[in-house]
Amino acid sequence: MNAPYIVLAMNYWLMKSEPAVFSFRDLMNMSTKGDIWDGVRNYQARNFMREMKNGDRVLFYHSNTNPPGVAGIAEVIGESQPDPTQFDTSSKYYDPKSTREAPRWIVVRVRAVQELPRTVSLYELKTIPELEDMPLVRKGNRLSVMPVSEKHAQIIMNLAATVA
DNA sequence: GCCAACGTTGGC
DNA sequence: GCCAACGTTGGC
């Protein structure tokens, strides 16, 4: 007799945030309901967010800070839904070309899982040969949401567990 | 603050 | 569809 079971495909992603605007600590300080990831206005990033499934892990990356790097692990707890800021005329993310019937932009909901023992800097990531094919470490990559292979994610999390 | 890289816009 | 102009990202 076959027992029903579920195959859990755990996917990893990386999402960038400027800590001066919203840091990993800020996410940790939210309730267990986490927060919606709003304001993404890049089609490629949006398309990746559409693919996110509940339970997926997110490497929370601090950009535009010194040093930039991966600060924590988050979890997707709410899949694609319209980004409310696109309809808000008072928001900097307001998009006059978007309609409620055909929203352009979406959010996912995430919550903090754990702060890494230490932030793994971009500088350090660039020194790891196994990560050289990771888009993040390539020059000129501005994409704020991108998939990360499980292998790369594990390397980064293992690095965080070691002394720099 | 600088600026390279990249995405978007809009005239043609 | 091309591409110049412009705006943004984000490392440094």
Side-chain angles (χ1 to χ4, degrees):
Chain A
M1 177 165 175
N2 293 326
Y5 64 94
I6 299 170
V7 177
L8 288 176
M10 159 96 59
N11 286 309
Y12 289 88
W13 307 89
L14 181 141
M15 301 177 92
K16 298 179 181 175
S17 183
E18 300 186 22
V21 178
F22 190 79
S23 69
F24 186 72
R25 284 287 177 89
D26 291 330
L27 184 60
M28 287 205 303
N29 288 335
M30 307 291 290
S31 76
T32 55
K33 297 176 97 173
D35 200 10
I36 56 170
W37 201 281
D38 60 15
V40 171
R41 294 295 180 270
N42 171 283
Y43 290 105
Q44 199 178 354
R46 178 203 67 184
N47 292 344
F48 283 136
M49 281 174 45
R50 277 182 175 160
E51 297 178 26
M52 292 184 180
K53 298 297 180 191
N54 291 336
D56 284 359
R57 296 292 147 132
V58 175
L59 306 187
F60 195 113
Y61 179 88
H62 283 168
S63 65
N64 249 310
T65 190
N66 190 15
V70 180
I73 306 298
E75 176 188 8
V76 176
I77 58 169
E79 297 173 5
S80 175
Q81 59 178 305
D83 182 342
T85 64
Q86 70 196 306
F87 309 121
D88 180 359
T89 54
S90 69
S91 169
K92 64 181 276 199
Y93 299 120
Y94 174 65
D95 184 350
K97 294 176 183 168
S98 190
T99 64
R100 298 209 178 252
E101 294 71 31
R104 287 188 166 194
W105 308 112
I106 61 106
V107 298
V108 293
R109 181 171 287 276
V110 299
R111 72 176 171 205
V113 173
Q114 62 172 168
E115 184 173 36
L116 291 178
R118 65 182 180 87
T119 292
V120 182
S121 73
L122 178 61
Y123 171 82
E124 183 177 357
L125 295 177
K126 286 180 171 177
T127 69
I128 310 298
E130 291 84 358
L131 298 179
E132 67 185 12
D133 56 337
M134 191 180 176
L136 178 73
V137 305
R138 297 231 189 90
K139 188 179 178 185
N141 190 348
R142 305 182 310 166
L143 196 58
S144 66
V145 178
M146 66 187 81
V148 178
S149 72
E150 180 167 3
K151 175 188 160 193
H152 287 168
Q154 289 295 343
I155 289 171
I156 293 168
M157 290 186 287
N158 288 341
L159 278 174
T162 67
V163 178

